[in-house]
Amino acid sequence: MTDINPPGAATPEGALEAVAAKLAYGPAIAVLSGSLPPGLAPGALAWLTERLRGQGARVVLDSSGPAFEAALAAKPTLIKPNRDELSALLGRALPDRAALLAAAREMQAQGIGSVVVSAGGEGALFALPEAALWVTPPRVRLTTTVGAGDAMVAGLTAALARGLPPEAMARLATGCAAAAVSRPVGGSPALAEITRRPKPPMSSGSEPLPHPSPARRIAGRFRLSQQDECHAL
């Protein structure tokens, strides 16, 4: 599959301030995602993150490059780089789960509470304040790769809004991403594809974790590993 990402339209003068003014009502959660359009300085996301955090909002950041790096200093609530983006940020390869977990811990040490790193079909790392989880997504028929990361961010944001615990957050975000890459071409995934009841997830020691209650039927079938340290993976 070929994914073409052209640059966005040029940003008129005062556009960033206009966006900030529209957010002055004080959203509980704000999502800053994608690359900066031409005309905005690399510090634009950092400025907006600081402003939103000052209003009491939780900020979810999903970007890359200089704008992403600059925004980290503003300490967003949650970041969701993919493996390549985090590798580029740190200037080193992240070949396995141990390396990803160590990198996520570095981000948390800088004051970023939640770090979610997607690794394509291999799965995703959820380094959260309460726990670190590795989720392997369900096997689905791939129809597109467009929007997988955006769908995961949507699931993460919904989980934050609902106050879901780590395991439930990981399931919802993974379910959203899996549904997005297997949706009909040009269509949207059906809600049932995201909320279908999963098989009981398994811990790294192959002991079944408690089966989710009906209120937590929020993903497809996958194996879930929970650990306090890297070696538990």
Side-chain angles (χ1 to χ4, degrees):
M1 295 183 182
T2 301
D3 184 7
I4 300 175
N5 294 301
T11 307
E13 184 176 351
L16 186 62
E17 291 76 10
V19 169
K22 289 183 178 181
L23 295 172
Y25 69 90
I29 302 173
V31 178
L32 305 181
S33 63
S35 58
L36 286 179
L40 288 182
L45 292 181
W47 180 83
L48 196 53
T49 298
E50 289 177 358
R51 192 178 182 97
L52 289 163
R53 291 299 304 271
Q55 296 172 192
R58 289 177 288 176
V59 177
V60 177
L61 178 66
D62 178 24
S63 189
S64 59
F68 176 65
E69 183 174 2
L72 296 179
K75 296 180 174 54
T77 308
L78 184 153
I79 61 173
K80 197 223 68 67
N82 61 35
R83 186 204 298 269
D84 291 340
E85 291 164 348
L86 188 56
S87 175
L89 174 70
L90 296 176
R92 66 176 188 266
L94 302 173
D96 52 31
R97 297 180 186 181
L100 286 174
L101 182 58
R105 294 301 194 206
E106 287 184 36
M107 296 294 98
Q108 289 180 309
Q110 296 180 25
I112 301 166
S114 298
V115 181
V116 178
V117 187
S118 55
E122 183 182 344
L125 170 69
F126 293 76
L128 308 174
E130 308 91 341
L133 308 170
W134 181 272
V135 179
T136 302
R139 292 182 180 179
V140 296
R141 184 175 67 88
L142 184 67
T143 58
T144 179
T145 58
V146 177
D150 295 329
M152 177 168 277
V153 169
L156 291 167
T157 305
L160 284 175
R162 298 175 186 178
L164 297 183
E167 183 183 318
M169 171 184 278
R171 290 180 174 182
L172 179 56
T174 303
C176 287
V181 299
S182 58
R183 70 187 186 276
V185 176
S188 298
L191 181 61
E193 291 300 306
I194 300 172
T195 59
R196 64 188 183 269
R197 186 179 181 90
K199 288 181 177 179
M202 305 294 287
S203 71
S204 56
S206 297
E207 293 294 326
L209 295 171
H211 202 288
S213 65
R216 296 169 65 194
R217 298 173 184 174
I218 49 174
R221 295 183 291 273
F222 53 85
R223 293 173 61 84
L224 181 63
S225 295
Q226 181 172 358
Q227 76 289 330
D228 295 322
E229 297 294 340
C230 176
H231 66 267
L233 283 172

